[in-house]
């Protein structure tokens, strides 16, 4: 670990020197790096798909949709928008401040640390990096040790495409993260669990470093079958795609559980069965389209959740597991006990509990009784229910009539609230996430208001009261001696 400490010190020194040189502030440098990211992903498409298969058993098309294609689009958006993003924004100051002018300029924080997670190891590493570079920072990335092939590929490839005095990759697990966190950073961007998020925030507090925490949680999905009965086929397909078609449910925005009225539960289960078969065939394990569970430890966690006898009794579809292949079959549960572990921790796997309610309106209270989720999904055409969801619950995002798609839409901010995280990124929000918005006020020495200064008297107090209210007409009267 001494050698690692030395490497971290040296890397940080180089990145700080590079930032101090001003090189990363130039728009030209930022664009060159963004172009290089696009080129790197294009040139290494096959290798990236290979490592995602080795680490997670992801199908190459799933890998392209969720990671490579997503990253190239994100870098292209930044590249095409950067000239607009960097322009200082004029602020219209109240007349009170005349003749001063105001503007806001986006300033890079400096040297930022990105710690990423294993489930989308390419996109969750490169996408924050795109934001950090767009904003003109130097960046150090540590990807997750649990996706070692992706981490190794990034560590090998990034230095040969990007400015390696400004952008660095260090590989390792919690021990390396601990060393990194002992240093002072200008911003920390973390993707991972709420448990480790607390460690990150505590370490950042030591240096008052700002953090963005992209965490997880249990994302509920409401099905208001009354209002979407005509479109149930699409509803079930979308939920199935979100639950089982993206890293086998090992995704922070995956559907965690469904809330539906009791009277519709058995029909819903019957609707899922043919859809799952149409996606993954009669033997999903051999379909090549089901990602595997990342590690034995994670597999054992899932099997512990499922092996609770009360949970076992709730399995209505699937439930088979193969430890050697780290495979868990797409599985549906009906009403597992609400005090079971599976209903109280993020599932992060291909298991879908269906929880029944007497009336779908009760879903609001159910969601409110839990920590604030990263996403709420609701299939409904009922405007009143939509309004209740928006006004009575809190979550990182709400998506009506679809799942997970909000992540891909970079016109919307992506991030959590409460236990699901803090801060947001994607598109322009990524640029803002890695920028300090500096307020600039340009005053004039042409005139001076004596009312600002001591000695104090009643005239000055009246003046200040009127000024705070921006009561300009009364101020003029006061100055003309026509008002007391
Ligand atoms: N909001 C999002 O965008 C998003 C995306 C993916 C995953 N997640 C969440 O991430 C979690 C799963 O990912 P994970 O298992 O990689 O999370 P994790 O918290 O275990 O690890 C995330 C990162 O933290 C590092 N780390 C682990 N232990 C550490 C320690 N003691 N000190 C410092 N750093 C440490 C890891 O090396 C890794 O780089 C889930 O909760 C999921 O919802 C969130």
């Amino acid at each position: 670990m001494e050698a690692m400490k030395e490497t971290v010190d040296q890397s940080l020194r180089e990145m700080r020197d590079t930032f101090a040189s001003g090189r990363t502030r130039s728009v030209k440098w930022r664009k060159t790096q963004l172009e290089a990211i696009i080129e790197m992903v294009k040139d290494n498409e096959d290798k990236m798909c290979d490592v995602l298969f080795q680490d997670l058993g992801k199908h190459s098309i799933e890998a392209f949709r969720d990671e490579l294609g997503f990253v190239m689009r994100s870098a292209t958006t930044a590249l095409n928008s950067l000239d607009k993003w960097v322009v200082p924004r004029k602020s219209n100051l109240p007349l009170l401040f005349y003749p001063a002018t105001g503007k806001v300029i986006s300033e890079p924080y400096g040297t930022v640390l990105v710690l990423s997670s294993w489930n989308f190891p390419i996109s969750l590493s490169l996408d924050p990096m795109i934001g950090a570079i767009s904003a003109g920072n130097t960046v150090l990335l540590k990807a997750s040790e649990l996706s070692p092939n992706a981490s190794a590929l990034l560590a090998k490839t990034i230095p040969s495409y990007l400015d390696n005095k400004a952008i660095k990759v260090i590989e390792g697990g919690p021990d390396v993260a601990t060393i990194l966190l002992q240093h002072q950073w200008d911003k920390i961007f973390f993707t991972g669990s709420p448990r480790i998020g607390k460690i990150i925030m505590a370490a950042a507090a030591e240096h008052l470093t700002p953090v963005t925490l992209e965490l997880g949680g249990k994302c509920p999905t409401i099905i208001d079958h009354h209002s979407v009965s005509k479109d149930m086929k699409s509803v079930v397909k979308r939920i199935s795609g979100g639950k089982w078609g993206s890293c086998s449910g090992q995704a922070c925005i995956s559907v965690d559980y469904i809330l539906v009225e009791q009277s519709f539960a058995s029909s819903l289960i019957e609707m899922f069965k043919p859809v799952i078969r149409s996606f993954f065939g009669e033997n999903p394990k051999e379909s090549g389209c089901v990602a595997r569970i990342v590690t034995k430890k994670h597999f054992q966690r899932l099997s512990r959740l499922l092996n609770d006898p009360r949970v076992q009794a709730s399995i209505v579809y699937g439930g088979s597991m193969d430890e050697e292949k780290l495979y868990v079959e797409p599985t549906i549960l009906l009403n597992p006990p609400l005090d079971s572990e599976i209903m109280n921790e993020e599932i992060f796997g291909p298991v879908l509990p269906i929880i029944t309610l007497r009336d779908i309106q009760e879903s609001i209270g159910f969601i409110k009784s839990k920590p604030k989720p990263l996403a709420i999904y609701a299939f409904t055409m009922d405007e009143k229910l939509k309004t209740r969801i928006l006004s009575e619950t809190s979550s990182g995002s709400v998506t009506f009539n679809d799942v997970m798609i909000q992540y891909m839409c970079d016109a919307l901010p992506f991030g959590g609230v409460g236990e699901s995280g803090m801060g947001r990124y994607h598109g322009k929000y990524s640029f803002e996430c890695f920028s300090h918005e500096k307020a600039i006020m340009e005053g004039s020495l042409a005139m001076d208001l004596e009312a600002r200064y001591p000695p104090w008297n009643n005239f000055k107090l009246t003046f200040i009261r009127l000024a705070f209210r921006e009561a300009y007409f009364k101020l003029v009267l006061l100055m003309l001696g026509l008002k007391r």
Side-chain angles (χ1 to χ4, degrees):
M1 276 299 129
E2 277 313 307
M4 181 51 77
K5 280 188 186 152
E6 189 46 48
T7 309
V8 172
D9 284 348
Q10 160 88 21
S11 301
L12 206 49
R13 263 198 309 276
E14 262 185 35
M15 287 190 296
R16 288 210 179 284
D17 288 349
T18 306
F19 184 72
S21 76
R23 179 159 90 234
T24 65
R25 287 178 183 256
S26 96
V27 170
K28 187 160 175 271
W29 179 88
R30 303 183 203 190
K31 285 186 173 173
T32 313
Q33 301 309 304
L34 293 170
E35 279 159 0
I37 289 181
I38 298 169
E39 200 180 309
M40 174 176 80
V41 178
K42 267 191 195 150
D43 292 352
N44 292 278
E45 194 173 316
D46 289 347
K47 284 188 198 152
M48 287 185 173
C49 286
D50 285 350
V51 294
L52 291 171
F53 184 77
Q54 288 157 22
D55 287 338
L56 292 152
K58 280 191 193 182
H59 190 285
S60 59
I61 298 179
E62 183 190 326
F64 188 84
R65 181 197 60 185
D66 293 354
E67 306 218 40
L68 282 59
F70 175 76
V71 163
M72 286 194 281
R73 182 183 146 79
S74 171
T76 307
T77 303
L79 196 55
N80 294 338
S81 315
L82 198 54
D83 289 329
K84 273 195 294 212
W85 292 347
V86 295
V87 174
R89 292 194 310 283
K90 189 169 170 286
S91 300
N92 292 320
L93 303 188
L95 186 62
L96 184 62
F97 298 96
Y98 183 82
T101 57
K103 64 183 173 187
V104 177
I105 62 173
S106 300
E107 162 183 282
Y109 277 114
T111 296
V112 307
L113 173 64
V114 172
L115 297 172
S116 65
S117 165
W118 49 264
N119 53 344
F120 299 90
I122 304 281
S123 58
L124 294 177
S125 298
L126 294 182
D127 199 28
M129 199 178 253
I130 289 167
I133 291 169
S134 305
N137 298 279
T138 56
V139 200
L140 189 141
L141 163 73
K142 190 201 79 62
S144 172
E145 69 288 2
L146 301 184
S147 45
N149 294 296
S151 172
L153 182 65
L154 290 170
K156 187 165 162 247
T157 327
I158 285 176
S160 51
Y161 281 82
L162 303 183
D163 177 347
N164 58 26
K165 296 268 186 259
I167 298 156
K168 300 197 176 278
V169 186
I170 285 187
E171 287 196 86
D175 45 355
V176 171
T178 304
I179 294 174
L180 289 167
L181 290 171
Q182 281 158 359
H183 290 76
Q184 182 163 3
W185 300 89
D186 299 307
K187 163 102 196 186
I188 299 176
F189 186 102
F190 170 80
T191 304
S193 59
R195 188 176 68 83
I196 306 297
K198 289 178 190 169
I199 296 176
I200 306 297
M201 200 163 166
E206 193 60 39
H207 299 290
L208 293 178
T209 300
V211 290
T212 295
L213 300 178
E214 294 288 342
L215 312 178
K218 291 179 87 64
C219 301
T221 297
I222 299 169
I223 302 179
D224 165 29
H225 74 281
H226 303 289
S227 70
V228 292
S229 56
K230 280 200 318 297
D231 299 306
M232 272 314 296
K233 214 171 157 195
S234 301
V235 173
V236 170
K237 258 173 97 177
R238 285 178 187 195
I239 294 175
S240 302
K243 182 68 196 184
W244 296 295
S246 187
C247 205
S248 261
Q250 300 171 105
C252 55
I253 49 168
S254 180
V255 173
D256 192 283
Y257 61 91
I258 287 177
L259 295 170
V260 70
E261 285 185 10
Q262 171 69 47
S263 60
F264 188 62
S266 52
S267 314
L268 180 65
I269 293 162
E270 289 314 307
M271 287 176 177
F272 269 115
K273 293 177 184 175
V275 172
I276 295 172
R277 277 195 289 271
S278 73
F279 283 5
F280 307 113
E282 290 300 327
N283 186 0
K285 193 175 8 176
E286 305 304 332
S287 68
C289 292
V290 178
R292 68 167 169 75
I293 306 308
V294 63
T295 62
K296 204 163 232 186
K297 199 169 137 214
H298 288 73
F299 178 92
Q300 284 162 353
R301 182 187 66 84
L302 278 169
S303 69
R304 194 191 69 239
L305 297 183
L306 273 178
N307 283 336
D308 173 340
R310 297 176 307 159
V311 173
Q312 274 287 314
S314 72
I315 296 177
V316 289
Y317 184 84
S320 74
M321 287 180 265
D322 180 340
E323 179 154 359
E324 203 179 308
K325 295 204 159 150
L326 297 177
Y327 167 78
V328 177
E329 185 183 0
T331 297
I332 302 176
L333 313 177
L334 179 61
N335 284 326
L338 295 181
D339 64 353
S340 59
E341 266 187 284
I342 206 157
M343 282 313 297
N344 289 285
E345 67 173 67
E346 185 180 8
I347 297 175
F348 229 59
V351 182
L352 178 61
I354 296 175
I355 303 297
T356 62
L357 308 168
R358 261 183 310 115
D359 186 319
I360 202 63
Q361 299 292 334
E362 292 167 19
S363 55
I364 307 281
F366 190 95
I367 293 170
K368 277 167 72 177
S369 70
K370 312 258 175 221
K372 296 177 180 178
L374 187 54
I376 294 176
Y377 304 115
F379 289 89
T380 182
M381 297 297 166
D382 178 344
E383 294 303 323
K384 279 200 187 121
L385 181 59
K386 286 184 189 172
T387 305
R388 282 199 69 200
I389 294 168
L390 295 180
S391 61
E392 294 181 37
T393 70
S394 178
S395 57
S397 64
V398 175
T399 300
F400 292 117
N401 302 320
D402 214 326
V403 300
M404 293 181 79
I405 197 85
Q406 78 280 8
Y407 184 86
M408 296 282 175
C409 176
D410 57 18
L412 291 170
F414 178 78
V417 59
E419 269 191 42
S420 56
M422 61 181 70
R424 76 272 193 278
Y425 74 134
H426 286 187
K428 170 130 198 261
Y429 302 98
S430 287
F431 175 81
E432 290 172 357
C433 171
F434 289 99
S435 301
H436 162 59
E437 303 218 311
K438 188 154 75 176
I440 315 295
M441 191 160 182
E442 175 129 13
S444 159
L445 292 171
M447 60 185 205
D448 214 5
L449 286 171
E450 284 308 315
R452 290 168 60 172
Y453 308 113
W456 303 119
N457 57 36
N458 280 341
F459 173 86
K460 291 183 180 179
L461 178 60
T462 309
F463 186 96
I464 293 167
R465 281 188 202 281
L466 292 173
F468 275 131
R469 283 165 41 205
E470 296 190 42
Y472 298 117
F473 184 63
K474 288 185 179 166
L475 273 172
V476 172
L477 294 181
L478 180 75
M479 287 198 285
L480 294 174
L482 301 172
K483 181 181 165 35
R484 290 170 153 250

